[in-house]
Amino acid sequence: MPKGIILYQSKYGATKRYADWMVRETGFDCICTKDAKIQDVLQYDTVIFAGGIYASGIAGLSFLKKHFSKLQGKRIAVLCVGASPYTEEAFKEIYAHNFQNALQGIPCFYARGAWNTDAMSWKDRTLCKMLQKAVAKQDSSTYAPWQKALMDATEKGACDWTDQKYLEPLLGWVKGENTP
């Protein structure tokens, strides 16, 4: 297996859980993006970025964007972690939003995360409540999958959908078995 590193940014813990699982499966080193230094990352053959999805952006991807030209020749992939169930349409939108220009073509994988209203910052909790109120005005039979997930999670208060099975496609990519 190539020498690799996992750079992650986790706000509430789900992405960190996936990063820890990847470390166990790959033996790669792992560091939070805020503590990463590009000169250290350059020693690795494979670089995996993992971050939560917030307002269509992937947390921590700014490190990749900032240093992309220095990472040429490395195997690079991204794991995005979201609270919504996977849909191809939503995933394509996330990809188009985050992988523009030089980043186009970078493999990206999806894993479902968690939701805990009590653990959220005041700002995140307020934004989610506003979104939930807007969605609640619609006929529930017309909800998109993310809207249904939002309403279900809001009602429950806490949900954990993390599962190692979501890592299987990414781990296959690491081993050279598949590409997304």
Side-chain angles (χ1 to χ4, degrees):
M1 193 170 299
K3 183 178 177 183
I5 188 167
I6 300 155
L7 300 172
Y8 72 92
Q9 187 165 326
S10 186
K11 198 170 189 178
Y12 297 112
T15 302
K16 172 77 166 87
R17 189 172 310 132
Y18 282 112
D20 290 342
W21 287 336
M22 284 189 284
V23 166
R24 277 203 325 251
E25 293 293 322
T26 63
F28 286 2
D29 291 334
C30 184
I31 190 166
C32 183
T33 52
K34 68 180 172 85
D35 299 323
K37 294 178 177 46
I38 188 60
Q39 62 269 24
D40 297 332
V41 174
L42 292 175
Q43 69 178 313
Y44 297 94
D45 302 316
T46 300
V47 183
I48 299 172
F49 291 87
I53 300 171
Y54 302 99
S56 298
I58 301 171
L61 204 59
S62 58
F63 185 95
L64 173 60
K65 291 176 182 178
K66 179 179 179 182
H67 300 292
F68 186 71
S69 64
K70 295 175 186 165
L71 294 167
Q72 295 299 306
K74 306 290 182 190
R75 288 189 77 223
I76 299 171
V78 174
L79 175 71
C80 58
V81 180
S84 297
Y86 176 87
T87 66
E88 190 171 338
E89 180 182 336
F91 184 75
K92 284 180 180 179
E93 288 176 18
I94 294 294
Y95 193 91
H97 179 79
N98 289 280
F99 296 89
Q100 299 171 5
N101 303 318
L103 300 185
Q104 286 182 343
I106 291 176
C108 184
F109 301 86
Y110 184 82
R112 194 147 186 219
W115 176 282
N116 186 339
T117 306
D118 292 338
M120 289 181 188
S121 67
W122 177 85
K123 179 182 174 184
D124 287 347
R125 191 170 42 254
T126 301
L127 289 171
C128 287
K129 284 182 182 179
M130 290 170 50
L131 182 58
Q132 183 267 336
K133 285 182 182 179
V135 170
K137 293 177 183 176
Q138 297 178 25
D139 178 352
S140 62
S141 67
T142 66
Y143 285 172
W146 72 267
Q147 292 171 317
K148 181 174 178 358
L150 171 71
M151 299 307 282
D152 290 346
T154 302
E155 184 178 305
K156 293 176 184 172
C159 300
D160 185 351
W161 302 284
T162 58
D163 191 321
Q164 291 183 32
K165 72 179 181 188
Y166 291 115
L167 293 177
E168 291 172 6
L170 175 56
L171 294 171
W173 175 87
V174 168
K175 296 174 186 173
E177 297 171 356
N178 62 17
T179 57

Short mmCIF file of all heavy atoms in Angstrom, two decimals, residues 114-152:
data_model
loop_
_atom_site.label_atom_id
_atom_site.label_comp_id
_atom_site.label_asym_id
_atom_site.label_seq_id
_atom_site.Cartn_x
_atom_site.Cartn_y
_atom_site.Cartn_z
N ALA A 114 -23.63 12.46 11.01
CA ALA A 114 -24.46 12.43 12.20
C ALA A 114 -25.14 13.78 12.37
O ALA A 114 -24.82 14.75 11.68
CB ALA A 114 -23.60 12.11 13.43
N TRP A 115 -26.06 13.82 13.30
CA TRP A 115 -26.81 15.04 13.58
C TRP A 115 -27.09 15.06 15.07
O TRP A 115 -27.63 14.09 15.61
CB TRP A 115 -28.13 15.02 12.82
CG TRP A 115 -29.04 16.18 13.08
CD1 TRP A 115 -29.86 16.38 14.15
CD2 TRP A 115 -29.25 17.30 12.23
NE1 TRP A 115 -30.55 17.53 14.04
CE2 TRP A 115 -30.19 18.13 12.85
CE3 TRP A 115 -28.73 17.67 11.01
CZ2 TRP A 115 -30.63 19.32 12.29
CZ3 TRP A 115 -29.18 18.86 10.45
CH2 TRP A 115 -30.10 19.66 11.09
N ASN A 116 -26.70 16.12 15.72
CA ASN A 116 -26.99 16.26 17.14
C ASN A 116 -27.25 17.73 17.43
O ASN A 116 -26.32 18.52 17.56
CB ASN A 116 -25.83 15.74 18.00
CG ASN A 116 -26.17 15.75 19.47
OD1 ASN A 116 -27.05 16.46 19.92
ND2 ASN A 116 -25.45 14.94 20.23
N THR A 117 -28.51 18.08 17.53
CA THR A 117 -28.91 19.46 17.74
C THR A 117 -28.27 20.04 18.99
O THR A 117 -27.80 21.17 19.00
CB THR A 117 -30.44 19.58 17.82
OG1 THR A 117 -31.00 18.96 16.66
CG2 THR A 117 -30.89 21.02 17.88
N ASP A 118 -28.20 19.25 20.07
CA ASP A 118 -27.64 19.75 21.32
C ASP A 118 -26.15 20.06 21.22
O ASP A 118 -25.64 20.92 21.93
CB ASP A 118 -27.86 18.74 22.45
CG ASP A 118 -29.34 18.60 22.82
OD1 ASP A 118 -30.12 19.53 22.53
OD2 ASP A 118 -29.70 17.55 23.39
N ALA A 119 -25.43 19.38 20.34
CA ALA A 119 -23.98 19.60 20.20
C ALA A 119 -23.66 20.76 19.27
O ALA A 119 -22.52 21.24 19.24
CB ALA A 119 -23.31 18.33 19.69
N MET A 120 -24.64 21.22 18.50
CA MET A 120 -24.40 22.29 17.53
C MET A 120 -24.11 23.62 18.21
O MET A 120 -24.62 23.90 19.29
CB MET A 120 -25.62 22.47 16.63
CG MET A 120 -25.84 21.37 15.65
SD MET A 120 -27.30 21.75 14.65
CE MET A 120 -27.49 20.21 13.79
N SER A 121 -23.32 24.42 17.52
CA SER A 121 -23.11 25.79 17.98
C SER A 121 -24.44 26.54 17.87
O SER A 121 -25.35 26.13 17.14
CB SER A 121 -22.05 26.48 17.12
OG SER A 121 -22.54 26.67 15.80
N TRP A 122 -24.53 27.62 18.57
CA TRP A 122 -25.75 28.43 18.53
C TRP A 122 -26.06 28.83 17.09
O TRP A 122 -27.19 28.75 16.64
CB TRP A 122 -25.60 29.67 19.41
CG TRP A 122 -26.81 30.56 19.36
CD1 TRP A 122 -27.94 30.45 20.10
CD2 TRP A 122 -27.01 31.67 18.47
NE1 TRP A 122 -28.84 31.43 19.73
CE2 TRP A 122 -28.29 32.20 18.74
CE3 TRP A 122 -26.23 32.28 17.49
CZ2 TRP A 122 -28.80 33.28 18.05
CZ3 TRP A 122 -26.74 33.36 16.81
CH2 TRP A 122 -28.03 33.85 17.10
N LYS A 123 -25.02 29.25 16.37
CA LYS A 123 -25.20 29.68 14.98
C LYS A 123 -25.73 28.55 14.11
O LYS A 123 -26.70 28.73 13.37
CB LYS A 123 -23.87 30.20 14.43
CG LYS A 123 -23.93 30.65 13.00
CD LYS A 123 -22.55 31.10 12.52
CE LYS A 123 -22.58 31.42 11.04
NZ LYS A 123 -21.24 31.77 10.55
N ASP A 124 -25.11 27.37 14.20
CA ASP A 124 -25.55 26.23 13.38
C ASP A 124 -26.96 25.80 13.76
O ASP A 124 -27.78 25.49 12.89
CB ASP A 124 -24.59 25.04 13.52
CG ASP A 124 -23.27 25.27 12.81
OD1 ASP A 124 -23.17 26.22 12.01
OD2 ASP A 124 -22.33 24.48 13.06
N ARG A 125 -27.24 25.76 15.05
CA ARG A 125 -28.58 25.37 15.51
C ARG A 125 -29.63 26.35 14.99
O ARG A 125 -30.69 25.96 14.51
CB ARG A 125 -28.59 25.29 17.04
CG ARG A 125 -29.81 24.65 17.62
CD ARG A 125 -29.71 24.36 19.12
NE ARG A 125 -29.11 25.42 19.92
CZ ARG A 125 -27.89 25.38 20.44
NH1 ARG A 125 -27.12 24.33 20.26
NH2 ARG A 125 -27.43 26.38 21.14
N THR A 126 -29.32 27.65 15.04
CA THR A 126 -30.25 28.68 14.56
C THR A 126 -30.48 28.56 13.05
O THR A 126 -31.62 28.62 12.59
CB THR A 126 -29.71 30.08 14.91
OG1 THR A 126 -29.57 30.17 16.33
CG2 THR A 126 -30.67 31.16 14.44
N LEU A 127 -29.40 28.37 12.30
CA LEU A 127 -29.54 28.22 10.84
C LEU A 127 -30.36 26.98 10.49
O LEU A 127 -31.20 27.02 9.60
CB LEU A 127 -28.16 28.16 10.18
CG LEU A 127 -27.37 29.46 10.18
CD1 LEU A 127 -25.94 29.22 9.70
CD2 LEU A 127 -28.05 30.51 9.32
N CYS A 128 -30.12 25.89 11.21
CA CYS A 128 -30.87 24.66 10.95
C CYS A 128 -32.34 24.82 11.30
O CYS A 128 -33.22 24.32 10.58
CB CYS A 128 -30.26 23.48 11.71
SG CYS A 128 -28.70 22.94 10.98
N LYS A 129 -32.63 25.53 12.38
CA LYS A 129 -34.03 25.77 12.74
C LYS A 129 -34.73 26.63 11.69
O LYS A 129 -35.89 26.38 11.36
CB LYS A 129 -34.12 26.44 14.12
CG LYS A 129 -33.89 25.49 15.27
CD LYS A 129 -34.03 26.19 16.60
CE LYS A 129 -33.74 25.24 17.73
NZ LYS A 129 -33.84 25.89 19.05
N MET A 130 -34.03 27.61 11.17
CA MET A 130 -34.62 28.46 10.12
C MET A 130 -34.89 27.63 8.87
O MET A 130 -35.96 27.76 8.27
CB MET A 130 -33.69 29.63 9.80
CG MET A 130 -33.60 30.66 10.90
SD MET A 130 -32.31 31.91 10.66
CE MET A 130 -32.60 32.47 9.01
N LEU A 131 -33.96 26.78 8.50
CA LEU A 131 -34.14 25.92 7.34
C LEU A 131 -35.30 24.95 7.57
O LEU A 131 -36.14 24.75 6.69
CB LEU A 131 -32.85 25.16 7.04
CG LEU A 131 -32.85 24.25 5.81
CD1 LEU A 131 -33.20 25.04 4.55
CD2 LEU A 131 -31.50 23.56 5.67
N GLN A 132 -35.35 24.38 8.76
CA GLN A 132 -36.42 23.44 9.10
C GLN A 132 -37.78 24.12 9.02
O GLN A 132 -38.73 23.55 8.49
CB GLN A 132 -36.18 22.86 10.50
CG GLN A 132 -37.16 21.82 10.93
CD GLN A 132 -38.34 22.40 11.72
OE1 GLN A 132 -38.26 23.46 12.32
NE2 GLN A 132 -39.44 21.71 11.68
N LYS A 133 -37.88 25.35 9.48
CA LYS A 133 -39.16 26.08 9.42
C LYS A 133 -39.57 26.34 7.96
O LYS A 133 -40.75 26.24 7.63
CB LYS A 133 -39.06 27.39 10.19
CG LYS A 133 -39.10 27.20 11.69
CD LYS A 133 -39.04 28.52 12.42
CE LYS A 133 -39.04 28.27 13.92
NZ LYS A 133 -38.95 29.52 14.68
N ALA A 134 -38.59 26.66 7.12
CA ALA A 134 -38.90 26.89 5.71
C ALA A 134 -39.37 25.60 5.04
O ALA A 134 -40.34 25.61 4.27
CB ALA A 134 -37.67 27.45 4.99
N VAL A 135 -38.70 24.49 5.34
CA VAL A 135 -39.08 23.21 4.76
C VAL A 135 -40.45 22.77 5.26
O VAL A 135 -41.26 22.22 4.51
CB VAL A 135 -38.00 22.13 5.05
CG1 VAL A 135 -38.48 20.74 4.66
CG2 VAL A 135 -36.71 22.47 4.33
N ALA A 136 -40.75 23.03 6.52
CA ALA A 136 -42.01 22.62 7.12
C ALA A 136 -43.22 23.25 6.43
O ALA A 136 -44.33 22.71 6.52
CB ALA A 136 -42.02 22.96 8.61
N LYS A 137 -43.02 24.34 5.73
CA LYS A 137 -44.11 25.01 5.03
C LYS A 137 -44.54 24.26 3.77
O LYS A 137 -45.59 24.51 3.22
CB LYS A 137 -43.71 26.44 4.67
CG LYS A 137 -43.55 27.33 5.89
CD LYS A 137 -43.09 28.71 5.49
CE LYS A 137 -42.87 29.56 6.74
NZ LYS A 137 -42.34 30.89 6.40
N GLN A 138 -43.69 23.32 3.32
CA GLN A 138 -43.99 22.55 2.11
C GLN A 138 -44.84 21.33 2.46
O GLN A 138 -44.87 20.88 3.61
CB GLN A 138 -42.69 22.05 1.47
CG GLN A 138 -41.77 23.13 1.00
CD GLN A 138 -40.51 22.53 0.42
OE1 GLN A 138 -40.49 21.40 -0.05
NE2 GLN A 138 -39.43 23.29 0.44
N ASP A 139 -45.46 20.80 1.45
CA ASP A 139 -46.18 19.53 1.59
C ASP A 139 -45.13 18.43 1.77
O ASP A 139 -44.24 18.28 0.94
CB ASP A 139 -47.01 19.29 0.33
CG ASP A 139 -47.76 17.97 0.34
OD1 ASP A 139 -47.54 17.14 1.25
OD2 ASP A 139 -48.57 17.77 -0.58
N SER A 140 -45.22 17.67 2.85
CA SER A 140 -44.20 16.66 3.15
C SER A 140 -44.08 15.60 2.06
O SER A 140 -43.03 14.97 1.92
CB SER A 140 -44.47 16.00 4.50
OG SER A 140 -45.71 15.33 4.49
N SER A 141 -45.12 15.40 1.26
CA SER A 141 -45.04 14.41 0.19
C SER A 141 -44.13 14.88 -0.95
O SER A 141 -43.76 14.09 -1.81
CB SER A 141 -46.43 14.08 -0.35
OG SER A 141 -46.99 15.20 -1.02
N THR A 142 -43.77 16.16 -0.95
CA THR A 142 -42.90 16.70 -2.00
C THR A 142 -41.45 16.88 -1.53
O THR A 142 -40.63 17.40 -2.27
CB THR A 142 -43.43 18.06 -2.51
OG1 THR A 142 -43.33 19.02 -1.44
CG2 THR A 142 -44.86 17.95 -2.99
N TYR A 143 -41.14 16.46 -0.31
CA TYR A 143 -39.79 16.64 0.22
C TYR A 143 -38.74 15.92 -0.63
O TYR A 143 -38.93 14.76 -1.01
CB TYR A 143 -39.67 16.09 1.64
CG TYR A 143 -40.31 16.91 2.74
CD1 TYR A 143 -40.40 16.39 4.02
CD2 TYR A 143 -40.81 18.18 2.53
CE1 TYR A 143 -40.97 17.10 5.06
CE2 TYR A 143 -41.39 18.91 3.55
CZ TYR A 143 -41.47 18.37 4.82
OH TYR A 143 -42.04 19.08 5.84
N ALA A 144 -37.64 16.59 -0.86
CA ALA A 144 -36.46 15.95 -1.43
C ALA A 144 -35.85 15.09 -0.31
O ALA A 144 -36.14 15.31 0.87
CB ALA A 144 -35.46 17.01 -1.89
N PRO A 145 -35.00 14.13 -0.66
CA PRO A 145 -34.42 13.28 0.39
C PRO A 145 -33.72 14.06 1.51
O PRO A 145 -33.86 13.72 2.68
CB PRO A 145 -33.42 12.40 -0.38
CG PRO A 145 -34.00 12.32 -1.76
CD PRO A 145 -34.62 13.66 -2.00
N TRP A 146 -33.01 15.13 1.17
CA TRP A 146 -32.33 15.90 2.21
C TRP A 146 -33.33 16.61 3.11
O TRP A 146 -33.09 16.76 4.30
CB TRP A 146 -31.32 16.89 1.62
CG TRP A 146 -31.93 18.08 0.92
CD1 TRP A 146 -32.21 18.20 -0.40
CD2 TRP A 146 -32.32 19.31 1.53
NE1 TRP A 146 -32.76 19.42 -0.67
CE2 TRP A 146 -32.84 20.13 0.50
CE3 TRP A 146 -32.30 19.81 2.84
CZ2 TRP A 146 -33.32 21.41 0.74
CZ3 TRP A 146 -32.78 21.08 3.07
CH2 TRP A 146 -33.29 21.87 2.04
N GLN A 147 -34.47 17.02 2.53
CA GLN A 147 -35.48 17.70 3.34
C GLN A 147 -36.14 16.72 4.31
O GLN A 147 -36.37 17.05 5.47
CB GLN A 147 -36.53 18.35 2.43
CG GLN A 147 -35.99 19.51 1.64
CD GLN A 147 -36.97 20.00 0.60
OE1 GLN A 147 -37.62 19.22 -0.11
NE2 GLN A 147 -37.07 21.32 0.48
N LYS A 148 -36.43 15.52 3.84
CA LYS A 148 -36.99 14.49 4.71
C LYS A 148 -36.01 14.16 5.83
O LYS A 148 -36.39 14.06 7.00
CB LYS A 148 -37.34 13.23 3.92
CG LYS A 148 -37.97 12.14 4.78
CD LYS A 148 -38.44 10.98 3.97
CE LYS A 148 -39.04 9.84 4.77
NZ LYS A 148 -39.08 9.90 6.18
N ALA A 149 -34.73 14.02 5.49
CA ALA A 149 -33.71 13.73 6.50
C ALA A 149 -33.62 14.85 7.52
O ALA A 149 -33.49 14.60 8.73
CB ALA A 149 -32.36 13.50 5.84
N LEU A 150 -33.68 16.10 7.05
CA LEU A 150 -33.65 17.25 7.96
C LEU A 150 -34.81 17.22 8.93
O LEU A 150 -34.64 17.39 10.14
CB LEU A 150 -33.67 18.56 7.15
CG LEU A 150 -33.85 19.84 7.98
CD1 LEU A 150 -32.60 20.12 8.80
CD2 LEU A 150 -34.17 21.02 7.07
N MET A 151 -36.00 16.98 8.41
CA MET A 151 -37.19 16.98 9.28
C MET A 151 -37.14 15.81 10.27
O MET A 151 -37.48 15.97 11.43
CB MET A 151 -38.45 16.92 8.42
CG MET A 151 -38.59 18.12 7.47
SD MET A 151 -38.46 19.73 8.28
CE MET A 151 -40.09 19.84 8.98
N ASP A 152 -36.71 14.63 9.81
CA ASP A 152 -36.59 13.48 10.70
C ASP A 152 -35.56 13.73 11.80
O ASP A 152 -35.80 13.45 12.97
CB ASP A 152 -36.21 12.22 9.92
CG ASP A 152 -37.31 11.71 9.02
OD1 ASP A 152 -38.48 12.15 9.16
OD2 ASP A 152 -37.02 10.87 8.14
#
